[in-house]
């Protein structure tokens, strides 16, 4: 069964249509953060290193295209979607992301946009909230593009690393690639929080 799954995924990733599908998946993820786009990129990177397909550069390019298009569509729809955000349960994962975005947005919108790219619900909330308060679209495009490019390289890259380390064990390569991808997102969030707190202490500003 595992061999059949690996064979199916390998065949899919050899098809030229795989790259447009990656872009479409990431666009859908930007509009409704229930699609595991990071997992797909981690897997694609792991397969590229261990099986030779898909082409790692094309996967990164497809991820960047999909991320930029999806985020900007979401930004343009922000004023309509803000009512959906306002109705979310504060105790849910999405609700906690709202609190995170609002807290960090006041400390640095640009950094929040970039870091939120690594946090599925947070990037959706950040895009909508910034749009609803009239944040500059030009500034959003600049910071979002930086975030998408870094996110695409890291998401595919950590999967590639996992695949390279366990090239002889495809299943283990996939597991390690996805695990590394999840770890990177968590570490980036922690690093951003530490940097913001450090800057607040340096300036004598209370984090509250």
């Amino acid at each position: 069964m595992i061999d059949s799954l690996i064979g199916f995924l390998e065949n899919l990733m050899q098809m030229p249509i795989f790259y447009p599908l990656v872009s479409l998946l990431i666009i859908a993820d930007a509009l409704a953060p229930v699609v595991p786009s990071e997992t797909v990129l981690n897997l694609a990177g792991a397969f590229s290193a261990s099986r030779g397909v898909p082409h790692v550069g094309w996967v990164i390019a497809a991820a960047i295209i999909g991320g930029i298009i999806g985020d900007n569509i979401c930004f343009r729809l922000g004023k309509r979607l803000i009512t959906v955000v306002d109705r979310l349960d504060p105790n849910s994962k999405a609700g906690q992301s709202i609190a995170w975005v609002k807290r960090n947005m006041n400390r640095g919108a640009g950094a929040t946009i970039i870091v939120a790219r690594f946090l599925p619900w947070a990037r959706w909330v950040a895009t909508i909230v910034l749009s609803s308060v009239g944040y500059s679209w030009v500034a959003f495009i600049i910071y979002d593009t930086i975030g998408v490019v870094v996110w695409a390289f890291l998401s595919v890259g950590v999967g590639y690393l996992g695949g390279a380390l366990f090239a002889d064990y495809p299943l283990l390569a996939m597991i390690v690639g996805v695990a590394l991808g999840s770890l990177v997102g968590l570490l980036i969030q922690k690093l951003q929080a530490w940097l913001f707190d450090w800057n607040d202490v340096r300036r004598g500003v209370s984090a509250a």
Side-chain angles (χ1 to χ4, degrees), residues 125-144:
V125 170
T127 302
I128 294 171
V129 170
L130 287 168
S131 173
S132 69
V133 298
Y135 187 74
S136 168
W137 189 22
V138 174
F140 176 81
I141 291 173
I142 293 171
Y143 288 119
D144 182 66

Side-chain angles (χ1 to χ4, degrees), residues 57-82:
W58 284 110
V59 175
I60 292 172
I64 291 172
I65 292 169
I68 292 174
I69 292 174
D71 288 350
N72 280 276
I73 291 175
C74 189
F75 186 87
R76 298 305 293 174
L77 295 174
K79 292 183 179 178
R80 297 181 182 180
L81 293 174
I82 190 62

Side-chain angles (χ1 to χ4, degrees), residues 191-205:
L191 177 61
Q192 182 244 22
W194 179 82
L195 287 174
F196 274 174
D197 289 342
W198 174 81
N199 190 49
D200 286 342
V201 171
R202 184 177 64 84
R203 295 185 303 148
V205 177

Side-chain angles (χ1 to χ4, degrees), residues 96-107 112 116 121-127 129-130:
Q96 293 170 8
S97 294
I98 295 172
W100 180 87
V101 168
K102 290 182 177 179
R103 181 173 65 251
N104 287 280
M105 190 173 65
N106 294 327
R107 304 162 82 182
T112 300
W121 279 103
R123 64 174 171 250
W124 182 74
V125 170
T127 302
V129 170
L130 287 168

Side-chain angles (χ1 to χ4, degrees), residues 39-60:
T39 302
V40 172
L41 296 182
N42 298 154
L43 286 174
F47 263 86
S48 182
S50 62
R51 314 293 279 191
V53 291
H55 188 284
V56 67
W58 284 110
V59 175
I60 292 172

Side-chain angles (χ1 to χ4, degrees), residues 42-43 46 155 158-163 172-182:
N42 298 154
L43 286 174
S155 296
V158 294
Y160 192 92
L161 176 61
L172 185 57
M174 288 191 295
I175 294 172
V176 172
V178 172
L180 286 175
S182 301

